[in-house]
Amino acid sequence: MYEDLRSYLSFLEGQGQLLHVHQEVSPEFEIAAGIRKTSDIAGPALLFEKVRGYAGWRVLGGLFATRKLVALGLGIPEDQLLERYLTLEERRIEPELVQSGPVKEIRWTGNDIDLYRLPIVTHSEKDVGPYITIGIQIGKDPNTGVRNVSVHRMLLMGKDRLSLWAPPDHHLGRMILKAEDQGKGLEVATAIGVEPAIIVGSQAKVPMGVDEFYVAGGLRGAPVKLTRCETIDVEAPAFAEIIIEGVTVPNERIADGPYGEYPGTYSESKQAPVLKVTAITMRRDPIYQTALTGMPVTENHTLIEYANSAVIYREVKKIVPEVKAVYMTPGGTFRHHVVVSIKKRSQEEARNVILALLSLGLGLKQVIVVDDDIDVHNPVEVEWALSTRMQPDRDVIIIPRLACSTLDPSVPAPRVSAGWGIDATIPLAGREKFAKVIVPGVDRVNYISSKN
Ligand code: MN
């Protein structure tokens, strides 16, 4: 695997999946516009070489703009991503503590700390300001000392102040509240510009108490190398481009938002914890990384897809041993809608699948269950199953008011959503009348191809 982001970028370049942008760009909207476009055309990751007002900085964006880029980051063929991710996510490798690393080449402490010298990007039209969007936050549980690794957006509030959007239904948010119960702030390190396995590993849906650096180690097949921070008792990746050290200010909250979020809508202004920055360390010639979210598909969707799909796959497998495929759909923001195909052996098992998935609290709003002869990745086939195998009065289940982590603007109250499921599987008795019409010999037609 890759020692650091730079060695991965060299690899991507060799694959034709990294474009150097030499034209000067502003961190306000222009970098995000490039990422938007490359996401929409399934293009390469972008390395902006010249950022207006930030001499000496380069900005990386769209590193996970497509599934292909996620697959390259993990060194897995794209069509085997979920299957291989399921195994790799469970292979835990302990991180290694090293004395120092390139991220210590430059150290800003005291009066030298100045977040305005970082090329923090403003992304979407109505965003309240510039946000750090792909910082890897590392904190320790105040009760157990176990590390947590996750990604939360941070709004630039001052030369040494950031918001930290970590709500209580996320592990870091809960740790901030636990520290406040003890009258303390929570020490948090934010690493920017790390190799892909660390970013993907930070998104794993593992229980609180599992250090995601162990998951990242498993994904990369080698320990993540960590080094101690300068001003806080936290360890962070030694080969990162930048580390921002800080402490949350107990019981202080600040207005955060609007911000263009993963549903493709703006999350309104909400009260978020505040981080007081205590040091910034970085490499010489640092690469600042940003990530776009908003209308699907962006890197905020591709990065969450496999972590969520793995949870769903394992849950369905508990009910139906023969799970064929799980697909979180792009229009469903890779969070709200899922299609599951199963080999059904018991008449009503699709209904159990629907109830189990809606009750997970993952943010699922719509669950469609189809038979194993339907390709879940093909929206026409899925709709065909709905149109020929399903009766709404019999096969639709609606569950009102479930606890649910979601930014869906249609919900009746925060962290609440209804859910619905559709059983589009064929009844076990009388399957013949539902069989697909097939013309024999299509696979032997060699005088035309789909390339024509
Ligand atoms: Mn966690």
Side-chain angles (χ1 to χ4, degrees):
M1 276 275 112
Y2 311 99
E3 185 77 294
D4 58 9
L5 178 64
R6 292 174 187 215
S7 49
Y8 178 59
L9 293 182
S10 303
F11 163 77
L12 273 189
E13 188 154 13
Q15 299 286 312
Q17 287 290 319
L18 180 73
L19 180 73
H20 295 264
V21 180
H22 295 285
Q23 125 188 19
E24 189 183 68
V25 289
S26 165
E28 188 179 30
F29 304 132
E30 290 182 7
I31 288 173
I35 306 173
R36 180 73 267 172
K37 180 152 185 182
T38 205
S39 305
D40 292 343
I41 63 172
L46 303 174
L47 187 58
F48 296 92
E49 300 280 351
K50 202 171 173 196
V51 183
R52 192 172 310 137
Y54 297 88
W57 287 87
R58 289 177 287 167
V59 175
L60 174 68
L63 188 64
F64 302 99
T66 61
R67 283 199 183 90
K68 182 188 177 79
L69 284 163
V70 176
L72 284 170
L74 295 177
I76 296 174
E78 193 181 342
D79 59 356
Q80 294 172 25
L81 252 177
L82 178 58
E83 182 192 338
R84 295 278 300 280
Y85 178 85
L86 280 162
T87 310
L88 292 177
E89 196 198 74
E90 289 180 336
R91 175 174 72 163
R92 309 282 159 84
I93 297 180
E94 187 179 355
E96 182 186 332
L97 191 64
V98 297
Q99 276 303 319
S100 189
V103 75
K104 303 287 192 184
E105 285 170 357
I106 294 173
R107 303 175 199 220
W108 294 352
T109 54
N111 283 333
D112 288 338
I113 296 169
D114 188 359
L115 290 164
Y116 291 111
R117 290 164 67 191
L118 272 55
I120 303 176
V121 170
T122 305
H123 297 84
S124 299
E125 189 179 16
K126 293 179 183 165
D127 284 3
V128 70
Y131 276 93
I132 296 172
T133 54
I134 194 151
I136 310 292
Q137 276 90 21
I138 306 130
K140 288 182 180 171
D141 188 305
N143 298 121
T144 65
V146 176
R147 268 188 306 258
N148 190 74
V149 188
S150 49
V151 175
H152 307 274
R153 69 177 198 240
M154 301 199 293
L155 172 64
L156 178 61
M157 307 292 308
K159 63 187 290 217
D160 63 352
R161 272 164 75 89
L162 293 159
S163 79
L164 176 54
W165 176 245
D169 50 4
H170 288 72
H171 297 163
L172 188 72
R174 196 155 287 241
M175 284 159 50
I176 292 169
L177 295 179
K178 281 186 176 189
E180 286 181 350
D181 288 346
Q182 299 172 12
K184 299 188 300 193
L186 186 77
E187 296 179 334
V188 178
T190 302
I192 299 171
V194 294
E195 67 107 345
I198 298 178
I199 301 177
V200 177
S202 75
Q203 300 305 298
K205 294 273 178 188
V206 290
M208 191 156 172
V210 175
D211 174 351
E212 287 86 355
F213 280 139
Y214 283 68
V215 179
L219 291 175
R220 73 196 294 268
V224 175
K225 289 183 178 147
L226 302 176
T227 189
R228 290 185 208 286
C229 287
E230 302 290 298
T231 56
I232 56 175
D233 178 26
V234 175
E235 302 80 33
F239 289 83
E241 293 289 327
I242 305 155
I243 291 171
I244 300 171
E245 304 179 10
V247 186
T248 61
V249 184
N251 306 312
E252 188 172 333
R253 297 291 184 272
I254 204 157
D256 176 304
Y259 173 70
E261 262 288 0
Y262 81 81
T265 54
Y266 288 91
S267 69
E268 60 206 17
S269 179
K270 292 176 193 160
Q271 295 292 301
V274 177
L275 190 78
K276 165 107 170 75
V277 176
T278 55
I280 301 176
T281 69
M282 68 188 88
R283 292 182 176 221
R284 278 180 224 107
D285 181 27
I287 299 172
Y288 177 85
Q289 186 181 355
T290 197
L292 183 67
T293 186
M295 279 294 285
V297 178
T298 70
E299 46 203 319
N300 188 26
H301 302 95
T302 61
L303 271 174
I304 201 81
E305 180 183 356
Y306 295 95
N308 276 346
S309 298
V311 173
I312 291 167
Y313 181 90
R314 291 190 187 107
E315 198 65 26
V316 178
K317 192 108 179 152
K318 289 180 197 164
I319 299 163
V320 186
E322 293 165 279
V323 186
K324 184 165 179 229
V326 162
Y327 183 49
M328 308 205 74
T329 60
T333 77
F334 293 97
R335 285 167 172 86
H336 301 161
H337 294 179
V338 69
V339 187
V340 177
S341 60
I342 58 170
K343 173 79 177 165
K344 174 169 149 180
R345 308 252 186 203
S346 168
Q347 177 50 34
E348 301 298 356
E349 58 195 11
R351 296 171 67 84
N352 293 53
V353 168
I354 289 165
L355 292 177
L357 295 186
L358 291 178
S359 69
L360 280 175
L362 259 189
L364 281 177
K365 182 177 180 181
Q366 176 183 290
V367 177
I368 296 176
V369 185
V370 294
D371 290 296
D372 62 344
D373 62 334
I374 299 296
D375 176 6
V376 296
H377 297 94
N378 181 339
V380 176
E381 273 204 33
V382 172
E383 190 178 1
W384 177 77
L386 295 182
S387 75
T388 63
R389 299 179 173 186
M390 187 273 298
Q391 282 294 301
D393 62 330
R394 183 191 63 200
D395 298 322
V396 172
I397 301 173
I398 298 177
I399 309 286
R401 299 196 316 277
L402 289 158
C404 193
S405 176
T406 178
L407 294 176
D408 171 3
S410 76
V411 299
R415 288 182 258 290
V416 174
S417 180
W420 68 316
I422 305 173
D423 175 1
T425 60
I426 303 172
L428 281 179
R431 296 180 74 84
E432 305 72 32
K433 66 179 176 180
F434 296 97
K436 284 180 181 171
V437 173
I438 286 170
V439 176
V442 178
D443 56 341
R444 294 194 298 275
V445 176
N446 55 14
Y447 44 83
I448 48 169
S449 77
S450 56
K451 293 186 198 79
N452 288 355

